[in-house]
Amino acid sequence: MDHRRFLPIDHKWRENKSFNGIVERRSPPKKLSGVEILAQVKDLEGMKFGKRVKLPKRDDNWKKKSIFFELPYWSTLLLRHNLDVMHIEKNVCDNILGTLLDIEGKSKDNIKARHDFKRVKIMKHLAPKLMNGKWHIPPAPYTLSRTQKEKVCKFLECIKVPDGYSSNISKCINLDKRKIWGLKTHDCHVLMEQLLPLAIWGVSLPKVYEVIVKMSTFFRDLCSKILKVKDLDTLERQISITLCEMEKIFLPSFFDVMVHLCVHLATEAKLGGPVQYRWMYPIERLLRKLKCYVRNKSRPEGSIAEGYIIEECMLFCSKYLHDIETRFNQPDRNTDEEDNDYQGLSIFAPIGIPLGKAKLRSLTKEELTQVREYVLKNCDEAQEYLNEYEDGTFDKNLVDWFRDRVMDLLGEGHDDQVVKDLRTFALGPLEGVKCFNGYVGNGFRFHTKETERKRVNQNSGVMVKGIVGAREDDYFGILTDIIEA
């Protein structure tokens, strides 16, 4: 499949015969309007299909008329079809992984594909050679050795992603056979856009790595939440060049129709908007859910219908059960509790839920000093006293001055709950604290670095926004301990 048709007319690769042995003079296919398409398929109404039915030969590629063409507004739609990015991305990812790792049944590189080089008279150095009665296949630029395949598989098996980011990809990898199978569409989405370039970095040849990175960048930009027309124009121009670069490396058998459809994704995004509003992840989840209803494999349709009706009835009844937790009102996995009746200092407001069994330990002197200063500077109720300290000149440090200042408030006639909390707050934290291995807060789940070593997810990374002068910076760190004073 020659993608040079989509290159500019003056592009140098149009004159290059190494793709298919000829010079490409054709322009990109003409974009037909809805009226023109209906005129082409008007004689396909009432067509009969089957193994014994011989279809008439046609100059175009139409074989049947879709039922959607009968909609009265179909010819005036800007987007008359919907290419599913989810399945295209999965097929491209499977093609790349299957070819790089030479997975049986998924690799596009086989003896038949190599014999095609002799027929089309291209890449003759990769054509098979008969040696001692056996066909010998020369290594291609993308061919990996056994050690290199093990490195790729071991990287994907050992990598840790944040909680909820993807499924456990390590279960889909067989390190002994150097194979990957059973990947779901979202797994391929994560691999194609994030992990695959990292897995082959330093393993494959630079030109192979670069073209896969370009393909990964294309899907990542296409699936971004914010799309601009000028960026889509750039993607539309770049993807044809990227596919031509892949044609110079991979075999012609690699470029099936799903790989070719990448050319049209950017054009479709300009008409239909971000792919998040059009892809089929919800439908695929529904299909997997329907498959779970099959109890009698000899009657799958009846099992699905019966299971779906039962679940709908139970869900309907659960909407009337307000005092117990049901599937309809159950909280999310990382939902933390909120105490709306809390009346104390804002800095001590309960946020989040600790995970695991608490362990007791004592704070060091350095930790006590850091806790006092940090808590004091981040308490909203104490801010007016901090301003008073900054405006004056005192021979005491901030922590000691604040303790003496708050203790004098009762003598000044202040006797509300905030003042009582401030007096307790000024005494400082206790030396004995509770330590936990995990914490759920603000919809996220965290674990300490030590706990993370025993898990397949990576949740010890944290980010805090800070201000340095007039500039705001992001500070990243690792959770080593979760303390509750």
Side-chain angles (χ1 to χ4, degrees):
M1 187 174 293
D2 199 341
H3 298 93
R4 291 183 297 167
R5 295 184 63 182
F6 299 90
L7 294 176
I9 298 298
D10 57 346
H11 199 280
K12 62 180 181 179
W13 281 350
R14 281 182 169 269
E15 305 291 334
N16 194 332
K17 295 184 179 181
S18 62
F19 288 89
N20 57 3
I22 62 174
V23 176
E24 184 58 69
R25 303 291 187 187
R26 297 175 298 173
S27 58
K30 179 184 175 182
K31 297 179 181 179
L32 301 177
S33 64
V35 176
E36 292 174 330
I37 294 177
L38 291 179
Q40 290 185 359
V41 300
K42 64 180 180 180
D43 57 338
L44 292 178
E45 297 181 358
M47 292 286 293
K48 295 183 179 180
F49 300 92
K51 294 182 179 180
R52 299 181 181 180
V53 178
K54 187 176 181 180
L55 299 177
K57 294 184 178 180
R58 296 175 57 88
D59 296 334
D60 51 39
N61 295 323
W62 296 107
K63 294 184 179 180
K64 64 177 295 185
K65 182 178 180 180
S66 173
I67 59 175
F68 295 106
F69 291 5
E70 300 176 3
L71 296 173
Y73 54 83
W74 183 87
S75 60
T76 59
L77 291 174
L78 293 178
L79 184 64
R80 295 186 297 272
H81 51 75
N82 182 25
L83 297 178
D84 184 20
V85 180
M86 177 187 71
H87 285 102
I88 295 175
E89 190 177 30
K90 174 175 171 51
N91 279 268
V92 173
C93 182
D94 287 341
N95 282 4
I96 294 176
L97 282 175
T99 304
L100 291 179
L101 300 178
D102 194 20
I103 302 176
E104 184 179 359
K106 292 187 176 182
S107 175
K108 298 297 181 177
D109 187 1
N110 50 56
I111 188 65
K112 293 183 178 180
R114 292 296 185 99
H115 278 299
D116 289 339
F117 288 144
K118 299 179 180 179
R119 180 175 55 85
V120 297
K121 297 180 181 180
I122 60 173
M123 298 185 181
K124 296 181 180 179
H125 62 285
L126 297 179
K129 300 177 182 179
L130 188 61
M131 300 174 60
N132 299 328
K134 294 183 179 180
W135 288 106
H136 174 70
I137 299 179
Y142 51 80
T143 303
L144 301 180
S145 65
R146 177 171 181 171
T147 304
Q148 291 173 329
K149 294 176 185 177
E150 290 178 351
K151 288 182 179 180
V152 174
C153 293
K154 190 172 183 179
F155 175 88
L156 295 176
E157 185 184 42
C158 299
I159 195 169
K160 293 185 177 182
V161 296
D163 180 69
Y165 184 76
S166 71
S167 63
N168 188 6
I169 299 179
S170 61
K171 292 184 178 180
C172 303
I173 298 174
N174 188 324
L175 191 58
D176 296 332
K177 297 182 179 180
R178 301 169 298 282
K179 294 183 179 180
I180 301 177
W181 65 77
L183 293 174
K184 303 298 183 182
T185 50
H186 188 264
D187 299 332
C188 292
H189 174 75
V190 174
L191 280 171
M192 190 67 212
E193 297 188 9
Q194 303 291 341
L195 304 182
L196 184 57
L198 298 175
I200 65 173
W201 180 72
V203 176
S204 61
L205 292 179
K207 62 179 181 180
V208 178
Y209 171 76
E210 290 173 3
V211 74
I212 293 179
V213 168
K214 290 180 181 179
M215 205 68 186
S216 174
T217 304
F218 168 77
F219 281 109
R220 186 165 60 249
D221 294 342
L222 188 67
C223 298
S224 60
K225 296 181 179 179
I226 300 176
L227 291 175
K228 298 181 180 179
V229 176
K230 62 178 182 180
D231 296 335
L232 290 174
D233 292 335
T234 303
L235 289 178
E236 190 176 9
R237 293 191 303 268
Q238 187 62 36
I239 186 58
S240 58
I241 298 176
T242 301
L243 290 176
C244 288
E245 291 178 352
M246 296 184 75
E247 282 192 51
K248 295 175 71 68
I249 299 174
F250 292 92
L251 275 64
S253 58
F254 180 90
F255 299 91
D256 53 19
V257 66
M258 298 300 274
V259 177
H260 169 71
L261 288 178
C262 295
V263 177
H264 305 285
L265 290 179
T267 304
E268 188 178 86
K270 289 193 292 186
L271 299 175
V275 299
Q276 288 85 357
Y277 302 109
R278 295 181 285 111
W279 60 16
M280 296 179 64
Y281 277 116
I283 298 178
E284 188 187 57
R285 287 197 296 267
L286 176 61
L287 292 176
R288 289 202 302 267
K289 185 177 180 181
L290 293 177
K291 290 180 181 178
C292 297
Y293 294 144
V294 178
R295 296 293 182 268
N296 186 352
K297 293 185 179 181
S298 63
R299 299 290 187 272
E301 297 88 351
S303 299
I304 291 175
E306 181 180 1
Y308 188 79
I309 292 174
I310 292 175
E311 182 172 351
E312 286 293 308
C313 293
M314 297 301 295
L315 182 61
F316 177 78
C317 296
S318 67
K319 294 183 178 181
Y320 295 91
L321 304 175
H322 304 292
D323 298 333
I324 62 175
E325 181 179 309
T326 63
R327 292 186 60 182
F328 179 73
N329 59 10
Q330 65 182 359
D332 294 335
R333 178 169 174 265
N334 293 331
T335 300
D336 51 344
E337 299 176 353
E338 295 183 3
D339 188 0
N340 298 324
D341 298 330
Y342 179 75
Q343 302 294 330
L345 298 180
S346 59
I347 195 172
F348 295 134
I351 300 177
I353 305 172
L355 302 175
K357 185 178 180 180
K359 299 179 181 179
L360 301 178
R361 77 173 180 90
S362 299
L363 296 176
T364 63
K365 293 182 179 180
E366 182 180 359
E367 290 175 334
L368 281 171
T369 303
Q370 292 176 348
V371 168
R372 288 193 182 99
E373 294 180 354
Y374 174 81
V375 173
L376 181 58
K377 293 180 180 179
N378 288 273
C379 181
D380 296 337
E381 291 80 1
Q383 192 60 43
E384 60 176 303
Y385 304 103
L386 299 182
N387 296 335
E388 180 182 342
Y389 179 82
E390 293 176 357
D391 295 337
T393 303
F394 305 96
D395 56 354
K396 297 181 179 180
N397 59 46
L398 176 61
V399 176
D400 295 337
W401 176 87
F402 178 76
R403 182 181 61 251
D404 297 339
R405 179 70 180 86
V406 171
M407 294 302 176
D408 297 336
L409 290 178
L410 290 178
E412 299 176 3
H414 300 282
D415 194 19
D416 54 6
Q417 183 63 37
V418 175
V419 173
K420 293 181 180 179
D421 291 339
L422 283 175
R423 290 188 65 193
T424 305
F425 172 64
L427 296 176
L430 299 175
E431 293 186 5
V433 294
K434 296 180 181 179
C435 299
F436 297 92
N437 294 329
Y439 200 80
V440 175
N442 296 328
F444 297 95
R445 183 176 295 259
F446 300 95
H447 291 105
T448 60
K449 185 65 176 178
E450 183 64 27
T451 304
E452 181 185 282
R453 295 178 181 177
K454 307 173 185 178
R455 304 177 64 88
V456 297
N457 294 325
Q458 177 182 343
N459 302 314
S460 61
V462 293
M463 188 272 289
V464 178
K465 291 186 176 296
I467 298 177
V468 180
R471 185 186 65 198
E472 184 177 283
D473 286 339
D474 296 336
Y475 291 88
F476 297 88
I478 301 295
L479 278 178
T480 58
D481 208 354
I482 300 175
I483 300 174
E484 181 182 69

